[in-house]
Amino acid sequence: MRSESLIGALKNHRVAVVQVLLLMAAMAIAFAGMTDRSYRGGITGGCSQAYSHFLKQATSASPRAISFCNEQNADVADLIVEPIKAGTQSIAVQIAGYGDTPGISASLVGADGSTYPVALPRAGDEWVPWTITLPEQLRSQQSKLVLSDRSKEGFGWIGVGITAGYDGWVPVSIALLLLAMLYPLIRRTGSLSTPGAPQPGLRARRPLIVASAMSIVTLIALILRRPSQFSNPYVWVEDGRDLLPHFVKYGWQTLFEPVAGYILIPNKLINAAAVSLSFRWLPEISLLLCVLFTLIVILVIAMSPTRLRAPVLCAFAVLAVPTDPEVFTTSAYALWWGSLLAVMPIFWDEQRAPSLRCRLPLVVVGALSSPFIIFLAPLYLARAIWLRRRSEWILAVVAGMLAVVQAALVVLNTVPSGKPYQLPGIPIVIGKFVGNYFWWSPDSASPALAAGIGCAALLVCAVYAMAQRRRNGVVISLVAACLLLAIVASTGRVMVDPLDPFNAGPRYFFYPYIFISWLLIQLMAEARGVARFLLIALLVAPLPHVLQHGQRTHEHLDWRDEVSRCTNGTAVEGIPIHVAGYLSFVWRSPLSADACRALVRESLFDNTLTSDDLPLNPHPSP
């Protein structure tokens, strides 16, 4: 009887019990952070641990750097660990590499310039603990640890890491505290108020109004995020290096030739159409087609009959994704937009639009855009099992077949790199793909803080999702599944450690950050009052660094001048192709002078070769 009465009392006071548990968790985590006596500092110099082919990657989200940069063991580098505050008797760090190699040394340097050598251990290709006792002379002043790599031997390199993750405790504790305070409001999210029925005339004009407004907003967003691509259109990366030679070799059959191990129909279709219309005006035509394709994707997100709440806001979130706009307005990255088409049928409201007439083309085009369909196919299967409709099984079969095609092409065309792939640790994944969405700084040296912010955000989303599971639980679960699969897709392709949403591989954050935005929007649509305000604050948190760092420009190159140099044979190395936007780092399109002249002649317009386009000495004397 006592146990039954206790259970009954707990049920009657469920909200208070949850609040107490959240408060206790917040206090425990705060206490753990305050009592953490690990060394607290940062590392400058060196490069990511991912540059070592053999070093076992650390799984914790804490700063690490090695002197093995540019894939050369004989790099010269200084790794500096600082500050070591006055009064510190010893510090505990992690060390990797070959500290006993001639030319590699370590020393403690005081604020007064005094230097004290420190013996380095030989750790090899793994991270091992290293405790350094400071000499008495340095304990009264601030100091730093300097590891110098001046080795010229093939195996000489060194690495250092900080193990403290104290930065991550604070956001988790704050999140738990906020959840404890807001939990009663979160539970009482209430149902959405039903707006009055629109007038017949307004109802008929609404799609046109939404489409017009979204078109204008999309064009403005694209111009703001990549202004140089509109003022000086140019050809980028694989579009010039791979797709142009493929078109010369295969013609329109190039649409089905894999690039980088998979089929990417949007890229090749835009590129082939632009080249066929006019090789001289390829960048401008490609830009126009890419903008139209992007607009189609945005309109599909905003206006499709899906179960997504606030779909127009979801479309805005794609345009404002908090990454470098690497994938914007260039046909070389159209595949990233194309795959979003395959996402929409997963959220389709089959009661409003049961036909496959719209959904099937979205699945086919999206699946033939990139291998992302491999990760989405299980969601199509889950949807078919849940709804048990013939149309859903057809979609699941089509998605599965196309996923098998893309997977087979990836397997058959992937060249082994010889580098052993190591699974990343969960803290660093959460820090990169969740934490950096909310907090990012170009000078940030605290991955533990990013991991803590990511964990805090996931806690908030989980509590809100549980409160809304009976009204919007299916959609929230699907968005969360898309987020998880997008992260798995990114981490399975490249090493996570050097990735950065604004500086290194921002395209790998495109899908995860979109789905984080969508998850917050779905939760916000059902929340009320102060509880909704918290979600709005999380949703707008990335805007400052989007406004400050979310724009990309590039240095000027004149495509028609380069085409002319190619046709007359003076472009010996090939047409320069933009990679990062700098003239100091370009690829070269391997097109011969004959190929360039053929592409000009076969264009539909501006296809006349003048004397400037012909070889300067077509008949050299013997």
Side-chain angles (χ1 to χ4, degrees), residues 241-260 264 268 271-272 275-276 413 591 595 599 602:
R241 188 190 66 180
D242 298 328
L243 270 60
L244 282 177
H246 282 194
F247 186 77
V248 171
K249 183 177 181 180
Y250 302 108
W252 279 89
Q253 293 181 0
T254 185
L255 292 178
F256 304 101
E257 288 293 324
V259 174
L264 29 75
K268 291 208 166 189
N271 188 270
V275 172
S276 299
N413 291 278
L591 293 177
L599 289 173
E602 294 170 5

Side-chain angles (χ1 to χ4, degrees), residues 77-136:
D78 286 334
L79 310 180
I80 303 175
V81 180
E82 62 179 345
I84 304 175
K85 297 181 179 180
T88 303
Q89 297 185 359
S90 64
I91 63 171
V93 296
Q94 287 192 332
I95 196 75
Y98 301 86
D100 56 348
T101 302
I104 295 181
S105 61
S107 58
L108 291 164
V109 180
D112 59 1
S114 57
T115 302
Y116 300 86
V118 181
L120 273 167
R122 181 187 180 95
D125 295 317
E126 61 179 345
W127 293 101
V128 298
W130 184 34
T131 301
I132 307 169
T133 302
L134 274 67
E136 292 287 347

Side-chain angles (χ1 to χ4, degrees), residues 230-502:
F230 286 85
S231 61
N232 174 223
Y234 205 75
V235 178
W236 286 75
V237 290
E238 284 84 2
D239 266 11
R241 188 190 66 180
D242 298 328
L243 270 60
L244 282 177
H246 282 194
F247 186 77
V248 171
K249 183 177 181 180
Y250 302 108
W252 279 89
Q253 293 181 0
T254 185
L255 292 178
F256 304 101
E257 288 293 324
V259 174
Y262 48 86
I263 295 176
L264 29 75
I265 291 294
N267 300 41
K268 291 208 166 189
L269 186 60
I270 292 174
N271 188 270
V275 172
S276 299
L277 289 172
S278 178
F279 182 53
R280 284 198 176 105
W281 294 88
L282 167 62
E284 287 81 3
I285 300 173
S286 178
L287 172 63
L288 175 61
L289 295 176
C290 189
V291 169
L292 289 175
F293 183 65
T294 303
L295 177 58
I296 290 172
V297 175
I298 292 298
L299 291 178
V300 167
I301 295 172
M303 304 184 68
S304 293
T306 64
R307 288 186 170 87
L308 287 173
R309 304 294 177 89
V312 172
L313 189 56
C314 291
F316 285 148
V318 176
L319 297 173
V321 61
T323 67
D324 175 271
E326 179 184 30
V327 302
F328 284 67
T329 63
T330 59
S331 57
Y333 296 108
L335 65 108
W336 294 89
W337 295 86
S339 291
L340 284 175
L341 296 176
V343 174
M344 302 315 298
I346 295 174
F347 301 97
W348 206 266
D349 188 346
E350 71 288 344
Q351 295 180 353
R352 293 165 57 193
S355 174
L356 292 176
R357 184 173 51 189
C358 295
R359 285 185 285 172
L360 198 56
L362 295 179
V363 174
V364 173
V365 175
L368 295 179
S369 295
S370 79
F372 192 47
I373 188 63
I374 299 172
F375 300 90
L376 295 178
L379 297 183
Y380 279 94
L381 179 59
R383 179 183 168 91
I385 295 174
W386 173 47
L387 294 176
R388 298 182 181 181
R389 289 172 175 252
R390 181 173 176 269
S391 58
E392 304 302 330
W393 285 109
I394 293 175
L395 284 179
V397 170
V398 172
M401 292 174 61
L402 294 175
V404 170
V405 171
Q406 290 281 30
L409 290 173
V410 170
V411 172
L412 294 175
N413 291 278
T414 300
V415 178
S417 62
K419 302 179 182 179
Y421 179 76
Q422 300 173 8
L423 291 175
I426 293 179
I428 193 171
V429 170
I430 293 177
K432 294 278 187 179
F433 291 99
V434 182
N436 284 152
Y437 172 94
F438 301 99
W439 176 80
W440 179 89
S441 170
D443 302 322
S444 170
S446 181
L449 178 58
I453 293 174
C455 290
L458 291 177
L459 279 171
V460 172
C461 291
V463 172
Y464 273 84
M466 287 299 296
Q468 299 180 16
R469 65 187 183 276
R470 295 182 180 177
R471 287 183 301 280
N472 204 26
V474 173
V475 175
I476 292 172
S477 299
L478 287 174
V479 176
C482 287
L483 171 59
L484 177 61
L485 293 171
I487 293 175
V488 171
S490 295
T491 56
R493 184 166 179 83
V494 292
M495 298 295 294
V496 173
D497 192 75
L499 291 182
D500 184 278
F502 288 92

Side-chain angles (χ1 to χ4, degrees), residues 137-150:
Q137 296 86 340
L138 287 182
R139 295 180 184 178
S140 60
Q141 59 181 301
Q142 183 169 295
S143 58
K144 60 185 177 181
L145 173 66
V146 180
L147 293 88
S148 298
D149 182 359
R150 299 294 183 271

Side-chain angles (χ1 to χ4, degrees), residues 474-551:
V474 173
V475 175
I476 292 172
S477 299
L478 287 174
V479 176
C482 287
L483 171 59
L484 177 61
L485 293 171
I487 293 175
V488 171
S490 295
T491 56
R493 184 166 179 83
V494 292
M495 298 295 294
V496 173
D497 192 75
L499 291 182
D500 184 278
F502 288 92
N503 296 318
R507 58 191 178 276
Y508 297 108
F509 296 87
F510 185 59
Y511 294 150
Y513 284 7
I514 286 174
F515 293 131
I516 290 176
S517 298
W518 287 9
L519 180 60
L520 293 172
I521 291 170
Q522 301 313 299
L523 296 173
M524 183 187 67
E526 287 282 358
R528 289 292 176 270
V530 180
R532 171 179 278 190
F533 178 78
L534 175 59
L535 291 170
I536 294 176
L538 291 176
L539 186 61
V540 302
L543 286 182
H545 51 256
V546 173
L547 296 174
Q548 188 174 0
H549 304 285
Q551 185 182 79

